[in-house]
Amino acid sequence: MRELQHDDEVREEAPSDGVDRRGFLGRMAALSAGAGALGVLAPKAMAAIPGSDAVVVDVRPEALADPVEATIAEAATLLRSKKLDPVDLVQAHVDRVQALDGTLKAFNAVVAEQALAKAKALRGTSPRSALAGMPLNIKDNYYTAGIETTANSTIYQGFVPDYDATCVARLTAAGGIVLGKGQMGPLATTRATLPNGTVTTVNAWTPGNPSYDPGGSSSGPATAVASRMAKSSIGTQTGGSITSPSNQQGLTGLKPTMGRTSLYGVIPLTYTRDHCGPIARDALDAAIMLTALAGADPHDPRTQGLPAPTDYITAAKPVKPTKTAAGPQVRFKTKLGVLPDYLTGNATTVALRQAFLDEMVKAGVTIVQIPFPDDWSTLTGTAFNNVRLPERSEPFMDVLRTDVTKFGVSLNSWIQGLFLTGDTYLKGQRMKQDLLQKSLEQIFDKCDVVTQTSNQPFDIIGLPEIAFPIGFTTSGGSAVPVGTILGAAPYAEDRLLAMAGAWQARTDFHTRRPPEPAAPTLRAARSAAATLRLTPEEVAETTA
């Protein structure tokens, strides 16, 4: 387990505590009223904003021995001290992609020569941020200048943008290096497949069993990070596609508050629910990524007029134990709300969740039992969830009129969006405001962070979530990660990072690495993946 630098005292309040929650309620109402106003934005010049301060940590022996094992924070420490060369770092990841991606299929495009050229340009320079020299996997619905961007759909086949999405531009301005584009569900629906439903990306923990879910449409970026083919990645979340692959593959995924990161240059799925965020190895790496990603963008009105981003990197670092408390402590005094369904269901999962709660109490957290807000099951139910489908159909009306075959096996959800009436859609937007108000008043008036068993409620209302591993279980004879999801009030990403950072300083689940697949396993996995195909019905059940 990595030792982090700790401060001496717990802060009384998190920097995000003074946010006007009612103001956020008003913003979300305006966003719903203007749904679809931006559509697919036209190319404009983008002024990228570098981020991510210098980070120095103690480097684990296994990270010293193998550059691909190092986290962003560890690799940044080694680069800064000249114990690692940026070209060697990128080359190690290129070699790993060449060895494993024929089976794992986490990438649908690799730009190795371009990545190595950027690494060579960093030789002899002082890293300008913790992201300098880090090879990244970019989900293929983010525009990347000069690199084909398809959203894994025939609709965008051959499309090469002439500018980067804002999130990509910010990462590269901070020194991050695009290694390639991540496989994804077609147009960000379901797990990564070809448009005809043939499975591509497999879970890094079960390379011989492609039927085991890698977790939602950002499964390619997640598999790339879990298998150590990339240092980190960025995904998108509309219905769980950051938190789900992170939980499925032992990673730390952060879905920021709506508007905290820009959607400019991202192929849309649902205007009022799309979010951009990092999929990383641990809380500190997620904080480094978010530091670069967060901030106002003149091209995305959702990002403007918000409270300034806080110090995510410091938030992710726990504080020293006190005389009365053993082990690293959560940086902020925190009340963790536990909703009634958190300790129900599968016995193994319940035991791991209880162990998580018990450990967080030792880390200084106060547990508060919280009932579901009024009308919770109705407001978070499937019927309400489907009111987003017209937003999915609207940007693609021309394609729906001319060639529906381009949507492949995920066509049904686009067709469904055509048949929801305007009054149903408007009712859904009013219900969203009701759900948000009740969440703010009946959850966050009693706690700072709350447990989640589903990403869906907070995806609907744009509140931040973090996912991270809390243990392991067995599936088909293989050890696979089990994760948890926590949610917070608007712009309280710092509180989520503080919780995950303290947990990870006290445990080692996040450091465990998927087993290296042997050559016979690789051959068998390739054969199995080539024959596994999702049906339209299966796609409808798992659509993001």
Side-chain angles (χ1 to χ4, degrees):
M1 178 164 36
R2 185 165 87 246
E3 294 284 339
L4 294 179
Q5 292 185 330
H6 308 302
D7 290 344
D8 292 329
E9 297 180 357
V10 178
R11 294 178 182 171
E12 291 296 320
E13 294 182 350
S16 59
D17 285 349
V19 170
D20 177 9
R21 295 175 184 173
R22 189 160 296 279
F24 181 75
L25 187 65
R27 288 183 63 88
M28 290 302 289
L31 175 63
S32 297
L38 293 185
V40 182
L41 297 172
K44 296 180 181 179
M46 176 60 213
I49 304 173
S52 303
D53 293 339
V55 174
V56 178
V57 298
D58 293 335
V59 181
R60 295 168 298 140
E62 51 268 44
L64 282 169
D66 183 358
V68 303
E69 175 57 25
T71 63
I72 289 176
E74 289 173 324
T77 300
L78 294 173
L79 287 172
R80 192 168 291 276
S81 63
K82 308 299 183 184
K83 294 179 180 178
L84 180 62
D85 181 89
V87 176
D88 292 340
L89 176 64
V90 173
Q91 185 66 60
H93 288 81
V94 169
D95 292 345
R96 191 155 179 83
V97 171
Q98 292 173 344
L100 296 184
D101 202 51
T103 294
L104 299 180
K105 294 183 172 64
F107 291 80
N108 65 3
V110 179
V111 288
E113 290 185 7
Q114 175 180 308
L116 287 166
K118 291 183 180 299
K120 289 176 182 177
L122 292 175
R123 270 182 169 162
T125 65
S126 297
R128 57 185 180 275
S129 83
L131 280 173
M134 301 302 155
L136 305 174
N137 176 291
I138 307 298
K139 189 175 180 180
D140 197 30
N141 55 349
Y142 287 85
Y143 283 23
T144 42
I147 305 172
E148 187 177 18
T149 298
T150 69
N152 201 21
S153 168
T154 55
I155 293 172
Y156 287 93
Q157 190 171 19
F159 171 56
V160 180
D162 59 5
Y163 70 103
D164 286 330
T166 296
C167 284
V168 177
R170 291 185 179 210
L171 293 173
T172 57
I177 294 176
V178 176
L179 181 55
K181 304 299 290 288
Q183 275 283 14
M184 57 181 287
L187 293 174
T189 59
T190 194
R191 64 179 289 185
T193 70
L194 297 178
N196 68 4
T198 300
V199 163
T200 52
T201 306
V202 299
N203 192 308
W205 291 86
T206 60
N209 179 17
S211 65
Y212 189 77
D213 190 3
S217 70
S218 301
S219 44
T223 295
V225 179
S227 64
R228 280 49 172 178
M229 290 190 288
K231 277 283 172 271
S232 188
S233 65
I234 45 174
T236 55
Q237 178 152 323
T238 307
S241 289
I242 291 174
T243 53
S244 177
S246 297
N247 277 346
Q248 288 291 106
Q249 303 208 46
L251 301 171
T252 301
L254 179 61
K255 187 209 80 167
T257 310
M258 172 63 72
R260 179 50 79 202
T261 55
S262 174
L263 284 161
Y264 179 68
V266 177
I267 295 171
L269 182 59
T270 301
Y271 176 88
T272 59
R273 285 180 54 169
D274 289 346
H275 300 74
C276 300
I279 298 175
R281 293 266 299 282
D282 60 17
L284 184 56
D285 279 10
I288 292 168
M289 292 283 286
L290 184 60
T291 299
L293 294 169
D297 176 9
H299 302 304
D300 187 349
R302 290 162 287 205
T303 68
Q304 297 174 33
L306 306 186
T310 60
D311 184 351
Y312 303 121
I313 292 173
T314 298
K317 298 177 182 179
V319 296
K320 292 179 179 179
T322 66
K323 293 180 180 178
T324 59
Q329 302 290 290
V330 175
R331 176 161 292 277
F332 313 119
K333 289 185 176 180
T334 302
K335 291 181 180 178
L336 173 61
V338 179
L339 293 174
D341 61 347
Y342 192 65
L343 296 178
T344 62
N346 177 274
T348 299
T349 300
V350 169
L352 291 173
R353 287 175 177 170
Q354 184 63 63
F356 164 70
L357 295 178
D358 293 344
E359 194 66 28
M360 294 316 294
V361 169
K362 297 176 185 177
V365 169
T366 301
I367 302 296
V368 181
Q369 301 296 328
I370 295 182
F372 288 123
D374 298 339
D375 305 317
W376 184 260
S377 60
T378 299
L379 294 173
T380 62
T382 301
F384 174 35
N385 191 41
N386 286 339
V387 301
R388 63 185 168 143
L389 295 180
E391 294 182 39
R392 178 174 299 182
S393 304
E394 186 273 333
F396 296 98
M397 289 299 296
D398 288 346
V399 184
L400 285 166
R401 292 188 185 102
T402 56
D403 189 358
V404 295
T405 64
K406 290 186 176 181
F407 293 93
V409 292
S410 61
L411 172 65
N412 287 353
S413 62
W414 269 268
I415 295 295
Q416 289 171 24
L418 299 177
F419 292 99
L420 265 73
T421 61
D423 63 309
T424 299
Y425 179 77
L426 291 174
K427 181 180 179 180
Q429 299 309 314
R430 289 196 297 270
M431 292 176 71
K432 175 189 293 186
Q433 290 302 106
D434 191 22
L435 175 61
L436 175 56
Q437 183 167 351
K438 286 173 177 173
S439 297
L440 295 178
E441 293 177 353
Q442 298 180 34
I443 293 178
F444 292 115
D445 279 353
K446 302 173 183 176
C447 67
D448 307 298
V449 177
V450 67
T451 60
Q452 303 278 276
T453 57
S454 168
N455 56 273
Q456 183 168 303
F458 280 16
D459 283 352
I460 292 171
I461 56 181
L463 296 184
E465 297 175 301
I466 196 168
F468 51 91
I470 58 171
F472 285 80
T473 188
T474 302
S475 176
S478 299
V480 292
V482 175
T484 196
I485 303 173
L486 301 179
Y491 316 116
E493 292 84 4
D494 52 355
R495 281 203 171 274
L496 297 176
L497 289 163
M499 290 285 289
W503 166 256
Q504 290 173 350
R506 300 175 69 94
T507 61
D508 69 352
F509 301 118
H510 62 291
T511 68
R512 299 188 191 181
R513 178 171 171 164
E516 294 293 291
T521 303
L522 294 177
R523 288 194 293 271
R526 291 182 183 123
S527 177
T531 59
L532 182 63
R533 179 176 296 185
L534 301 184
T535 66
E537 292 74 22
E538 290 171 323
V539 169
E541 291 177 358
T542 60
T543 291

